[in-house]
Amino acid sequence: MCGIFCLLSPSAAPSERDEQIREHLRRRGPDCGRVVTATGIDSGYRCVFCAHVLHMRGLLTPQPLQDGAGNVLMWNGEVFGGVAVDPQENDAAVVSQKLESCRSAAEVLAAARGPWALVYHQRAEDLLWFGRDFFGRRSLLWRFAAGTLTLTSVAAQTSGSDGTWEEVPAAGVFRVDLKEFGRTGSVSLEVFPWDGADSPTAALESLPSACSVVRNPAGPVLPAPVCPLNVSLPAPSGGAAPQPEPRSSARDLEELLAGKRRPEEEELLLGVLSEAVRRRVLPPPVRTQQVCDGSASVALLFSGGIDSMVLAVLADRHVPPQQPIDLLNVAFKLQEPKNRSRSAKKQKETADGGADPAAAQAFDAFGVPDRLTGRAGLEELRRLSPYRRWNFVEINVSQEELQKMRRERIRHLVHPLDTVLDDSIGCAVWFAARGAGVVMEDGGPRAFTSSARVILTGIGADEQLAGYSRHRVRFKASGPEGLLQELRMELGRISSRNLGRDDRVIGDHGKEARFPYLDEDVVSYLNSLPVWVKADLSLPRGAGDKLLLRSAARRLGLGQSAALPKRAMQFGSRVAKMEDRREKASDRCGRLLTG
């Protein structure tokens, strides 16, 4: 992984780079960095390339990477398939070799499986290629201003700057004819879109007005790396649809799941998901700094919910047994209820009169829902894998620290997204990925900071398996057909709603987010299944949503966690309760603008 930056400008224009952006890039890639400048022979353009590398595999390969023909590559990605990369090889070097020998960069990028964002200067043809993978799992932003095009992994929230930062749509691969740019001084984009009905081509509608865009008329479209969504509908039942129970006990939910088993589909899902996890944890990332012996290479964003629990069990299969796995659990400080404070004070005053001080349970300021389910999940993991060292990292955040780090760092990383939801999730993920907290030992809490460079996250499970409450609302209003329409929309917009932001936030710590549920083989398998196999929203929460994954979790030996209802991270960590509680998730967040 790395932080990449490219400035395309007329050759005579002054070249300036924002030092704040450069510092963000250094944090993404702390191991090495350099700058390369390329100019057209008679074309009147200049490209300034700057990259900072996080060394994860193979030999340390500084970027920008320049080949013998003078082509320049900046590759922020991981190849997990489609292009052969040996364990000892660096994938950026392999991609550079493939690009040098091909006719069109689009051909190589269409074959690569895994997350990526890239900028590539094809010198002989005076072409500039850039884009993101099909799902947009790596961040890339652009800005058009004063006859220039700027591309970067991460920007900065500043006032009065020229132009507006936007996320590059994960709609295909873009190409700029640099000779034409040199002649006209304006940017004309040619796009090679992803093929298939489920590709996010709607994102092309958001392209900026400061440039012209055309679809490539003669060249190939990029084949979608996943199969189309199965849109078959269940046969009519002939009777009224069963109504979900308003409340169900954990035992009731477990019994429901036991009666809804699909052994063949469970086994196939666990097979592709286990392989997706294996690709993302092996070989372990290269260690370039001195770290304590026995430290983890792999961590998980961990709430104890079904998505993170399944990933933890599968990671346990593949991470070498002598290595620990870090479970990163974030909580934002709760305010003690006023009536509870008065009750505790009254009890203290009457303690000498015979009252039992222990009768009032001590208030736990960080006893948020995700902390409680996380601790319960830890016990399940210890039962299933007692010899693994599970580092359950309790990451506790006060309001003062939240406000300070949002002002100094987080608001720049979330930018250009700006809603209350982006603020809540961006802050929660940033503190979780930092990994600074305590682990509980026999002697009490011990300060601990995770050094794992790979962070597995469960994003993608809810989007594909109807895990959100909006899916239940749509199902209730429009039945299975409406639910299918909602699920089709989810993956088409996941790049703009979630993935770019999460990549910027996690990458700020010199760590790499990896998304097993968005592995191309996992998505293809889930897309191939009819919707009623993946979810049954006539059943209660904690059973019908993500039904197939819950059944598969029971096959792995998980118990109570397999039936936990979905709780969004902003509510489970209580970050959403820390400030203005009257806000809506879709409101613009003033805190991101002012810090």
Side-chain angles (χ1 to χ4, degrees):
M1 191 191 82
C2 64
I4 60 180
F5 174 94
C6 172
L7 173 61
L8 168 63
S9 64
S11 57
S15 176
E16 296 182 2
R17 278 172 291 153
D18 188 315
E19 281 303 315
Q20 193 169 23
I21 292 178
R22 196 168 184 178
E23 182 56 34
H24 292 323
L25 297 174
R26 287 193 194 100
R27 284 198 291 267
R28 286 181 65 87
D31 296 327
C32 71
R34 67 181 182 181
V35 177
V36 170
T37 300
T39 58
I41 300 173
D42 293 311
S43 302
Y45 71 86
R46 177 175 58 227
C47 289
V48 178
F49 303 99
C50 175
H52 292 268
V53 174
L54 178 71
H55 185 200
M56 300 294 283
R57 61 198 291 188
L59 295 174
L60 177 60
T61 303
Q63 293 193 47
L65 183 58
Q66 201 161 16
D67 64 25
N71 303 313
V72 177
L73 171 66
M74 295 192 296
W75 172 259
N76 175 25
E78 298 288 342
V79 176
F80 293 131
V83 175
V85 180
D86 292 337
Q88 72 276 11
E89 288 185 303
N90 180 278
D91 58 342
V94 172
V95 171
S96 177
Q97 293 166 10
K98 296 288 185 182
L99 289 170
E100 184 180 4
S101 61
C102 74
R103 292 189 306 168
S104 169
E107 298 173 7
V108 176
L109 300 175
R113 297 292 178 265
W116 54 263
L118 98 161
V119 178
Y120 180 61
H121 178 222
Q122 199 169 2
R123 181 172 177 77
E125 289 78 11
D126 278 320
L127 298 173
L128 184 71
W129 299 81
F130 62 92
R132 302 165 70 190
D133 72 77
F134 183 78
F135 297 116
R137 289 165 287 188
R138 290 288 174 260
S139 171
L140 191 63
L141 309 178
W142 60 13
R143 183 176 69 184
F144 299 82
T148 64
L149 166 63
T150 308
L151 301 162
T152 182
S153 299
V154 60
Q157 170 67 264
T158 56
S159 59
S161 60
D162 293 334
T164 301
W165 289 110
E166 295 181 7
E167 291 192 334
V168 174
V173 178
F174 297 88
R175 185 172 75 179
V176 179
D177 185 331
L178 297 174
K179 290 180 181 177
E180 181 183 353
F181 173 80
R183 287 193 304 268
T184 65
S186 62
V187 177
S188 176
L189 297 176
E190 189 175 10
V191 59
F192 295 74
W194 295 110
D195 193 12
D198 298 324
S199 63
T201 52
L204 291 175
E205 299 172 3
S206 66
L207 292 173
S209 58
C211 68
S212 61
V213 184
V214 296
R215 292 170 66 101
N216 177 261
V221 293
L222 305 181
V226 297
C227 74
L229 181 67
N230 184 330
V231 295
S232 57
L233 296 171
S237 61
Q243 296 298 311
E245 302 172 28
R247 291 184 181 276
S248 300
S249 68
R251 184 178 295 276
D252 291 338
L253 293 175
E254 290 185 36
E255 289 176 358
L256 269 175
L257 289 174
K260 293 286 182 177
R261 302 299 294 272
R262 289 183 175 271
E264 181 179 354
E265 288 87 351
E266 293 166 16
E267 189 66 26
L268 289 171
L269 173 59
L270 289 176
V272 293
L273 189 55
S274 178
E275 175 60 17
V277 171
R278 186 197 66 79
R279 292 171 183 154
R280 285 156 177 79
V281 302
L282 294 176
V286 174
R287 294 299 185 98
T288 58
Q289 296 178 342
Q290 291 296 319
V291 294
C292 297
D293 290 340
S295 62
S297 296
V298 174
L300 293 90
L301 299 186
F302 186 77
S303 67
I306 178 70
D307 307 339
S308 58
M309 286 292 289
V310 168
L311 293 184
V313 174
L314 296 179
D316 180 59
R317 289 182 176 181
H318 302 295
V319 174
Q322 71 276 12
Q323 292 184 11
I325 296 175
D326 293 346
L327 308 174
L328 309 178
N329 182 274
V330 66
F332 292 81
K333 189 174 183 180
L334 298 168
Q335 297 295 321
E336 186 171 4
K338 293 181 180 179
N339 58 350
R340 185 182 180 93
S341 301
R342 288 195 295 268
S343 175
K345 181 178 180 182
K346 182 177 180 181
Q347 185 155 16
K348 181 178 180 181
E349 291 171 350
T350 59
D352 293 338
D356 181 8
Q361 186 177 359
F363 173 70
D364 181 0
F366 295 102
V368 303
D370 279 1
R371 179 61 48 82
L372 304 181
T373 55
R375 288 170 178 163
L378 173 65
E379 293 309 310
E380 280 200 72
L381 294 175
R382 285 174 170 167
R383 173 179 59 81
L384 291 173
S385 185
Y387 301 107
R388 170 77 65 186
R389 181 177 155 199
W390 301 97
N391 290 324
F392 183 72
V393 189
E394 299 188 6
I395 299 161
N396 299 327
V397 186
S398 67
Q399 186 172 21
E400 295 74 21
E401 187 177 18
L402 168 64
Q403 293 172 344
K404 177 177 184 293
M405 299 316 299
R406 178 197 287 121
R407 181 174 59 253
E408 294 179 3
R409 303 269 284 276
I410 299 170
R411 68 190 183 103
H412 300 293
L413 305 168
V414 172
H415 186 70
L417 304 188
D418 61 0
T419 69
V420 169
L421 182 63
D422 294 315
D423 174 54
S424 295
I425 296 181
C427 290
V429 171
W430 189 88
F431 280 103
R434 186 175 68 167
V438 298
V439 293
M440 303 304 294
E441 297 179 341
D442 292 340
R446 174 174 67 87
F448 182 92
T449 299
S450 173
S451 61
R453 285 191 160 192
V454 168
I455 296 185
L456 301 181
T457 170
I459 192 167
D462 290 307
E463 287 79 3
Q464 298 178 81
L465 292 159
Y468 290 122
S469 58
R470 60 178 176 266
H471 298 144
R472 192 171 288 273
V473 171
R474 186 68 185 272
F475 175 77
K476 185 176 181 181
S478 307
E481 188 171 2
L483 176 60
L484 274 169
Q485 293 171 357
E486 193 76 18
L487 294 179
R488 180 194 293 273
M489 186 169 55
E490 290 287 3
L491 287 185
R493 66 186 182 185
I494 195 170
S495 65
S496 58
R497 287 173 65 97
N498 304 88
L499 294 175
R501 177 200 62 214
D502 291 356
D503 176 60
R504 293 190 295 275
V505 167
I506 293 174
D508 190 57
H509 301 292
K511 300 178 182 182
E512 183 172 281
R514 296 185 177 177
F515 311 99
Y517 289 108
L518 291 175
D519 180 89
E520 288 84 352
D521 290 342
V522 174
V523 176
S524 284
Y525 177 66
L526 290 175
N527 275 359
S528 73
L529 297 174
V531 67
W532 65 86
V533 172
K534 297 182 282 190
D536 181 354
L537 298 189
S538 68
L539 299 177
R541 290 178 66 243
D545 49 308
K546 298 187 281 193
L547 174 62
L548 181 60
L549 184 64
R550 295 182 187 280
S551 299
R554 290 180 62 84
R555 192 179 190 89
L556 291 174
L558 293 174
Q560 184 176 354
S561 61
L564 283 177
K566 165 71 180 178
R567 185 183 292 112
M569 187 179 195
Q570 65 270 28
F571 301 120
S573 68
R574 286 299 190 258
V575 64
K577 298 289 187 181
M578 189 164 264
E579 292 171 303
D580 189 347
R581 303 186 184 194
R582 298 167 297 177
E583 298 170 318
K584 295 180 181 178
S586 59
D587 289 346
R588 288 192 72 194
C589 181
R591 295 181 297 276
L592 290 175
L593 302 177
T594 63

